[in-house]
Amino acid sequence: MATEFLGKNLLTLRDFSAEEIEALLDFSIALKKEKASGARPKRLAGKNIALIFEKPSTRTRCAFVVAAVDEGAHPEYLGKGDIQLGKKETVKDTARVLGRMFEGIQFRGFKHRTAEDLAEFAGVPVWNGLTDRFHPTQALADLMTVIERKGKLEGTSLAYVGDGRNNVANSLMLAGAKMGMDIRIVAPEELFPGEELVAEARSSAEGRGGKVTVTADVGAGVAGAEVIYTDVWASMGEEGALQERIRLLTPYRIDRALMEKTGGDDCVFLHCLPCFHNTDTDLSREHPEICEATEEVFESPGSAVFDQAENRMHTIKAVMAATLTGTTSL
Ligand code: CP
Ligand code: NVA
């Protein structure tokens, strides 16, 4: 039994070594096959899981709920306005109360510090379901999808094109580099990732021969890339920056011309979702120029975005099972 996982938090993918990430990804792939076979072993029977959400969510919330129920646990959704977290009660006190009742806590919210405080005081594993800085469970699903489509992580080139300093970019850069990928962050200079984080990613890339490139040059950044990844131009909480982001990021929209610049005809398109790719949503109807990808690329055969969304559930199941039972095998 791989007991090194028991009781651990997942606040960022710094919390796990390359070998541990590999074990979680292998476990996720096995769990996906197991679910397809119809088997439902209840690894988390009798456990209660708190799901704290300060921001909205489709995939993360549903992935935690379905994964918990598949494994026999009870998930309890604690939405914005349902609990006192940080308003009428300190995060430290809420953490200590929830830790007395729940075996694990998922947190999605604004400040990364809140996730750290919950982890410090709850006494049970805390899983980061997205903060302003990081989105580690997303990065696990991203890596799983790259393995499914490209067979391996080491040496595989991925260009993240867009807001290069958001939570998704930060987690993908750290995780991909650690796993030996050739990660390119392609963004206008105003949206480059923080220098310290880039240095950290480069240093963690050394173990498996990974590479991190940060460039504003789309042509150079995507040349030879086997995977193109993007995310929304303004993340939750940044709505006021939308016009500025449209100005900065329009040259970075993922369209057929950009995909052709990769030079390959089997390039995979990834996006954490939700994605603006047509004018069929309220926001994109109002601001058609908001779209970070075209409909053509989003709906193309190379687009793996719905596999990626499904993989959120398998990877989150692996994280919960590993940290609550210590096992990473079926
Ligand atoms: N990708 C992702 O985290 O989606 P949700 O915001 O729907 O959870
Ligand atoms: N960067 C996006 C990711 C959503 C899943 C946001 O934080 O809104």
Side-chain angles (χ1 to χ4, degrees):
M1 191 192 261
T3 49
E4 68 266 30
F5 287 99
L6 193 60
K8 280 187 83 163
N9 303 305
L10 173 52
L11 300 184
T12 75
L13 283 163
R14 293 173 182 134
D15 296 335
F16 295 99
S17 66
E19 291 67 33
E20 287 169 336
I21 293 172
E22 196 162 71
L24 285 173
L25 293 172
D26 289 347
F27 190 27
S28 307
I29 290 165
L31 288 168
K32 186 170 183 174
K33 287 199 192 109
E34 178 186 79
K35 178 150 182 166
S37 79
R40 297 285 187 284
K42 305 291 183 197
R43 296 174 183 83
L44 304 180
K47 299 199 189 295
N48 290 291
I49 309 292
L51 304 176
I52 306 175
F53 281 85
E54 291 180 344
K55 291 175 176 171
S57 165
T58 300
R59 282 140 287 269
T60 309
R61 173 179 177 173
C62 296
F64 270 98
V65 168
V66 172
V69 171
D70 276 357
E71 294 298 333
H74 167 77
E76 185 67 26
Y77 181 77
L78 304 168
K80 186 172 160 13
D82 291 341
I83 56 172
Q84 298 293 358
L85 188 76
K87 291 190 281 284
K88 202 173 158 187
E89 181 168 64
T90 63
V91 173
K92 181 174 175 178
D93 290 356
T94 301
R96 288 180 291 179
V97 172
L98 296 181
R100 298 287 183 109
M101 300 188 195
F102 292 91
E103 275 75 25
I105 300 170
Q106 183 281 162
F107 173 75
R108 164 173 288 202
F110 292 90
K111 293 188 209 127
H112 191 70
R113 179 65 198 268
T114 308
E116 291 173 339
D117 287 347
L118 284 169
E120 183 175 354
F121 298 109
V124 298
V126 172
W127 310 296
N128 174 3
L130 178 149
T131 62
D132 284 347
R133 293 268 292 146
F134 297 105
H135 198 3
T137 63
Q138 179 67 54
L140 287 175
D142 301 342
L143 298 184
M144 177 174 170
T145 313
V146 172
I147 294 171
E148 287 178 341
R149 291 283 172 143
K150 294 292 174 192
K152 63 180 175 59
L153 296 176
E154 271 183 48
T156 301
S157 49
L158 179 152
Y160 174 100
V161 185
D163 178 4
R165 33 102 281 163
N166 78 8
N167 40 22
V168 168
N170 285 344
S171 286
L172 189 60
M173 179 175 70
L174 281 181
K178 193 182 275 190
M179 300 312 288
M181 293 180 73
D182 168 3
I183 299 284
R184 299 103 176 261
I185 303 291
V186 186
E189 279 178 30
E190 293 88 335
L191 299 172
F192 274 4
E195 281 174 19
E196 273 181 33
L197 205 66
V198 174
E200 182 186 340
R202 286 197 173 124
S203 140
S204 73
E206 283 166 15
R208 293 196 172 198
K211 210 171 137 193
V212 179
T213 308
V214 180
T215 177
D217 182 335
V218 176
V222 308
E226 294 157 279
V227 182
I228 295 290
Y229 195 121
T230 194
D231 185 10
V232 290
W233 290 348
S235 288
M236 289 180 275
E238 297 183 333
E239 291 73 13
L242 191 57
Q243 289 308 324
E244 171 69 351
R245 296 291 169 75
I246 291 170
R247 186 182 71 75
L248 288 172
L249 287 167
T250 296
Y252 295 81
R253 177 173 295 126
I254 313 300
D255 56 12
R256 193 210 303 204
L258 186 144
M259 294 300 281
E260 283 173 358
K261 286 193 178 104
T262 63
D265 51 14
D266 59 351
C267 184
V268 172
F269 173 69
L270 295 183
H271 192 304
C272 55
L273 305 184
C275 173
F276 292 115
H277 54 91
N278 59 31
T279 51
D280 293 344
T281 69
D282 293 346
L283 264 175
S284 59
R285 203 171 298 117
E286 205 179 319
H287 306 280
E289 65 286 15
I290 201 181
C291 291
E292 66 269 17
T294 60
E295 183 76 350
E296 186 183 17
V297 171
F298 187 87
E299 296 292 354
S300 66
S303 172
V305 297
F306 295 106
D307 291 341
Q308 200 183 349
E310 177 189 333
N311 290 340
R312 298 295 310 285
M313 199 280 289
H314 305 296
T315 45
I316 281 170
K317 189 185 279 183
V319 168
M320 287 200 291
T323 55
L324 293 180
T325 72
T327 187
T328 51
S329 55
L330 295 185

